[in-house]
């Protein structure tokens, strides 16, 4: 019973926090979109009519009603919020397709490359950290530790085009574009994995290398425990908390950060859909996407918090002590 | 305790293992072997967004839609001559308010329904109903009164006032015919699928990914302008949506794509070899120009506009920003438009004449190089939603004459917002139309799209007159007179003729342009 109570007092504020983040995101986007200059309806008409666009005021009013853009700002704000809570994100102004349908279509493609990127990024970060840990010479260790920052330094459109020219055009191993087959996801995933893996590496490797100097590792080495066992049994576990935190942030980044990669690789996906929507001032799509991405981000962070409770009971028993504060206070 | 040797060994094994795993992954993913070329691929630049060719004006959507939808009549891209297509013959009354079409009796839509006079009535009525949702069509149908099915295969279309551009409009994809069932759908639903009488049908459309069209079995009503008759020569055409130009050109080189849309100007020399074909055609209509609002203070001064016309070096603009395939702009109409008459001499680049003109009229060069007159600086802005490079080149050229052109690059929505409120000095854009009536659309006070703001009764009466003149020779003379007047009074500063430039591998043949510079793939074949 006390266990349930402890969990409840640990979780309830975090769920409240989750709801707050989602509503705040919606509010912020609503304000931004409505205070940008220009009329989204004229933008949508221009996207379809090109240079032949004609603007008829009476028709604009009719379209405003059709897309739920009539009434005062407050009416629109609460109207869209209530509809969104019921799972209705409205209709795209430029394509006429329901926003939920568009997101459902594009989402799996983004999830595909994002999860592959996470897999590639984390695996290579752990591998390089292990190699650096086990490196027999200090210069080699230093060299290995310097490699991952390149992943952040090289912009995705450049690394993406390089990968395409080598693996698609020169070698012909993988397709250059599209989302039609599974192998088309590999190159975009590698492109995304570079910055993701590098960020993860920074946190993970410093946690591992810091723990390497701690007394219990010294004891383990003295007892003759092999390095690989020290790495997996002792160091990995201690690096888990900060790693999960950064993982939560990275998933949030991936949920919205796929736009460039999706454009370079001509893939459908959430990122490219957002870019198109912003260019066309398609506010229903922009709001829908940001709401969904915001909710995912908040959800991942909620899960990270729950994971903390499992991994490290101290965060849970302590009651309402915010886990991040504990992390920040680590020596 | 591990020996150092052991550690080195262990350290070395890991990357080898990782590489081996990567190699395994790559070999699983090796591409398929070359397929027989009855299924071809054309990389396009962007999502068509809406497949209904009656509603959209995006080049990508039209290049795909043209294969699926046929029109009443066809227009020879070279001579401008109108020839039969779905209509065997047609006639008009003297004041161009009534058009009668005699339809072929053997045409069916891909949903197996027959093309009848009633279908044409439903198409035009539905289009007129859509209004500015189908903006270009609504302009072709300006003054539409209604149409009647006289009998099974005869249809009469009536207008309240003369409509000289309708016949030419009937040859464009914008007034292409869709099935009865399609006309009954909402504008949004029509965007997702379209049923036409064309040589291909929409097989699949995955937004932001690809469009696939498949050969229509039993097609036998191509116009006489095509290279063969009967069914199309390839089975399917896949259009992967490939926004990145480097991926399109790379894919063309490796054979992943047979044809690519929009070959960038910088790549033209690379593909100008025996291994590739380059296809280029100027867009008919109005070239990219500065379109004036003559109610604005400085813009209203004809001397200033004339100086601008003389101070723009169109040959240089084309060399800097255009395709090597295109000509410098030389009139208010582009050279691919029927009725074009060159004004090259009247608007030849002459910086000295431009500065002299401004000097003589009291525009004095100020301390910062910009001219002034009675405390008024010679500065103007241009509102545009594309073509920044063209405008930057123009800006630099005009600055040499002491004219300050400020660039105001906005979104398409804001551009048309500015038009709706009349809040601009100059607009910059091009307007693609296959009929010289584009001049009326751009310059007439009564045109729905109203770009230029000009108060000139003489010009207005000429614009109205050409729109009601049925006689071709007479109309061509009027169109020539209008072009001369526009350049003489500097009502337009033409900058660049826009060209459609595509490329294919050398084994592709039969790819042609229609009169509005959209692609026709009916005759396309690809040899092994």
């Amino acid at each position: 019973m006390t266990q349930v109570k402890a969990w409840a007092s640990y979780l309830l504020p975090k769920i409240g926090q989750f709801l707050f983040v989602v509503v705040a995101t919606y509010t912020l986007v609503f304000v931004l979109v409505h205070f940008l200059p220009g009329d989204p309806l004229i933008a949508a008409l221009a996207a379809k009519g090109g240079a032949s666009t004609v603007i008829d005021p009476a028709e604009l009013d009719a379209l405003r009603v059709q897309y739920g853009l009539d009434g005062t700002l407050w009416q629109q704000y609460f109207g869209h919020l209530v509809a969104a809570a019921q799972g209705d994100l409205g209709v795209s102004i430029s394509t006429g397709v329901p926003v939920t349908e568009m997101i459902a279509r594009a989402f799996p493609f983004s999830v595909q490359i994002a999860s592959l990127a996470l897999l590639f990024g984390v695996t290579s970060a752990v591998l390089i950290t292990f190699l650096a840990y086990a490196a027999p010479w200090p210069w080699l260790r230093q060299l290995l530790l310097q490699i991952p920052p390149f992943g952040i330094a090289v912009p995705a459109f450049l690394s993406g085009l390089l990968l395409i020219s080598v693996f698609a055009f020169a070698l012909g191993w993988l397709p250059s574009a599209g989302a039609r087959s599974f192998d088309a996801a590999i190159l975009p995933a590698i492109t995304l994995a570079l910055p993701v893996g590098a960020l993860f590496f920074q946190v993970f490797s410093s946690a591992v290398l810091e723990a390497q100097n701690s007394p219990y590792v010294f004891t383990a080495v003295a007892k003759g425990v092999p390095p690989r066992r020290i790495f997996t049994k002792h160091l990995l576990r201690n690096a888990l908390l900060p790693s999960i935190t950064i993982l939560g942030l990275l998933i949030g980044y991936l949920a919205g950060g796929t736009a460039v990669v999706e454009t370079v690789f001509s893939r459908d996906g959430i990122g490219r859909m957002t870019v198109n929507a912003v260019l066309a001032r398609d506010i229903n799509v922009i709001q829908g996407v940001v709401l969904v991405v915001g909710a995912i981000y908040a959800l991942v962070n909620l899960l990270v918090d729950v994971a903390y409770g499992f991994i490290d009971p101290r965060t849970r028993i302590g009651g309402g002590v915010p886990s991040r504060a504990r992390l920040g206070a680590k020596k | 305790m591990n020996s150092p040797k052991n550690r080195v060994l262990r350290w070395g094994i890991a990357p080898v293992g990782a590489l081996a795993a990567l190699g395994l992954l790559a070999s699983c993913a090796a591409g398929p072997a070359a397929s027989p070329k009855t299924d071809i691929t054309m990389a396009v630049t962007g999502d068509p967004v809406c497949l209904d060719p009656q509603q959209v004006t995006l080049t990508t959507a039209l290049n795909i839609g043209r294969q699926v939808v046929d029109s009443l009549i066809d227009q020879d891209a070279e001579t401008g001559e109108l020839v039969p297509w779905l209509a065997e013959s047609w006639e008009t009354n003297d004041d161009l308010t009534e058009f009668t079409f005699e339809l072929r009796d053997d045409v069916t839509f891909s949903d197996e329904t027959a093309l009848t006079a009633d279908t044409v009535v439903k198409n035009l009525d539905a289009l007129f109903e859509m209004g500015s949702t189908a903006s270009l069509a609504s302009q072709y149908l300006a003054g539409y009164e209604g149409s009647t099915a006289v009998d099974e295969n005869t249809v009469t279309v009536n207008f309240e006032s003369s409509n000289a551009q309708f016949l030419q409009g009937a040859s464009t994809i914008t007034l292409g015919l869709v099935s009865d069932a399609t006309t009954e759908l909402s504008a949004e639903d029509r965007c997702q699928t379209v049923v036409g009488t064309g040589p291909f049908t929409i097989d699949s459309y995955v937004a932001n990914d690809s469009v696939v069209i498949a050969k229509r079995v039993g097609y036998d009503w191509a116009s006489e302008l095509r290279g063969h008759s009967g069914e199309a020569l390839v089975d399917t055409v896949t259009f992967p949506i490939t926004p990145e130009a480097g991926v399109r050109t790379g894919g063309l080189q490796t054979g992943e794509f047979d044809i690519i849309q929009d070959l960038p100007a910088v790549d033209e020399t690379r593909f100008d070899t025996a291994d590739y074909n380059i296809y280029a055609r100027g867009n008919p209509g109005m070239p990219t120009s500065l379109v004036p609002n003559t109610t604005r203070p400085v813009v209203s001064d004809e001397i200033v506009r004339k100086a601008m016309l003389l101070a723009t070096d169109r040959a240089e603009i084309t060399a800097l920003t255009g395709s090597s395939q295109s000509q410098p702009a030389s009139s208010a109409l582009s050279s691919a438009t029927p009725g074009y008459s060159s004004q090259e001499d009247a608007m030849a680049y002459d910086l000295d004449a431009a500065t002299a003109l401004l000097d003589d009229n009291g525009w004095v060069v100020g301390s910062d190089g910009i001219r002034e007159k009675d405390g008024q600086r010679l500065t103007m802005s241009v509102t545009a939603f594309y073509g920044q490079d063209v405008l930057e080149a123009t800006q630099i050229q005009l600055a040499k004459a002491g004219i300050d052109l400020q660039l105001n690059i906005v979104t398409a929505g804001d551009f048309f917002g500015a038009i709706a409120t009349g809040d601009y000095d100059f607009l910059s854009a091009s307007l693609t139309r296959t009929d010289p009536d584009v001049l009326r659309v751009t310059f007439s006070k009564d045109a729905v799209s109203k770009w230029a703001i000009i108060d000139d009764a003489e010009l207005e009466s000429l614009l109205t007159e050409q729109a009601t003149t049925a006689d071709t020779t007479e109309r061509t003379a009027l169109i020539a007179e209008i072009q001369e007047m526009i350049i003489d009074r500097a009502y337009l500063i033409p900058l660049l003729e826009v060209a459609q430039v595509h490329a294919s591998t050398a084994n592709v043949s039969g790819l042609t342009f229609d009169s509005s510079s959209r692609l026709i793939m009916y005759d396309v074949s690809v040899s092994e």
Side-chain angles (χ1 to χ4, degrees), chain B residues 236-460:
Chain B
T236 66
V237 185
T238 304
F239 300 93
I241 294 153
T242 315
E244 181 62 44
V247 177
R248 288 200 304 277
T249 52
L252 183 66
Q253 277 181 310
T254 56
E256 194 171 333
F257 306 137
D258 300 298
I259 308 169
I260 59 168
Q261 187 193 357
D262 275 6
L263 178 68
V266 289
D267 290 310
E268 280 173 13
T269 42
R270 180 149 67 103
F271 288 97
D272 200 5
T273 67
D275 294 334
Y276 303 97
N277 298 333
I278 293 183
Y279 308 82
R281 186 171 192 270
N283 278 353
M286 186 189 74
T288 300
S289 310
L290 300 181
V291 183
N293 171 1
T294 60
T295 59
R296 288 299 175 103
V298 188
V299 185
S300 62
D301 188 343
E302 190 177 314
I303 298 293
V304 168
R305 296 199 309 269
K306 268 192 171 156
M308 290 173 76
L309 194 61
L310 293 172
T312 22
D313 183 354
R314 278 159 281 272
E316 189 184 65
I317 293 177
T318 307
L320 286 174
T321 64
S323 154
S324 59
Q325 314 277 338
S326 53
Q327 299 290 315
S330 49
S331 175
L333 290 177
S334 81
S335 50
T337 326
Y340 154 84
S341 91
S342 173
Q343 307 296 316
E344 216 177 331
D345 297 335
M347 53 195 265
Y349 172 62
D350 190 341
L351 186 59
D352 295 337
T355 49
L357 200 59
L358 291 170
D359 287 338
D360 294 349
N361 284 276
W363 289 99
V364 192
V365 181
S367 55
D368 60 350
I370 306 301
R371 289 170 190 270
E372 285 177 4
K373 181 183 180 179
D374 310 328
Q376 171 84 55
R377 272 168 64 83
L378 190 42
T379 176
M380 289 153 289
S381 73
V382 53
T383 304
F385 65 107
Y386 62 87
Q388 184 166 356
D389 51 348
V390 177
L391 293 174
E392 278 168 356
T394 312
Q395 186 181 42
I396 293 167
Q397 291 176 356
L398 291 179
K400 289 181 192 159
I403 303 168
D404 178 34
L405 184 71
Q406 298 283 332
L407 309 190
N408 181 23
I409 309 290
V410 298
T411 63
D414 292 342
F415 179 83
F416 291 99
I419 291 180
T421 55
D423 183 20
Y424 55 88
D425 289 345
F426 284 98
L427 297 172
S428 177
S430 64
L431 194 52
T432 303
R433 290 297 165 85
T434 27
D435 192 275
D437 191 60
V438 66
L439 293 171
R440 188 189 54 80
V441 172
T442 316
F443 293 98
S444 169
K445 281 196 285 188
D446 298 328
V448 275
S449 52
K450 53 171 182 191
W451 280 19
I453 302 183
I454 290 165
D455 188 14
D456 185 328
E458 210 178 338
L459 177 66
E460 191 69 40

Side-chain angles (χ1 to χ4, degrees), chain A residues 144-223:
Chain A
L144 283 168
L145 291 178
Q146 296 312 315
I147 293 174
F150 277 104
I152 300 180
V154 181
F157 64 85
L158 182 62
S159 50
L161 281 178
L162 278 173
L163 286 172
I164 290 179
S165 2
V166 175
F167 292 100
F169 292 157
L171 298 172
W173 290 356
L174 294 164
S176 63
R180 283 172 292 274
S181 55
F182 176 76
D183 55 0
I186 294 173
L187 289 182
I190 293 175
T191 313
L192 262 183
L194 291 175
V196 166
L199 282 169
F200 182 78
F201 174 82
Q202 294 293 350
V203 173
F204 180 73
S205 64
S206 66
V208 165
L209 297 178
E210 196 181 313
Q212 197 184 351
N213 297 323
S214 58
Y216 64 85
V217 175
F218 183 77
T219 313
V221 172
K223 281 167 72 182

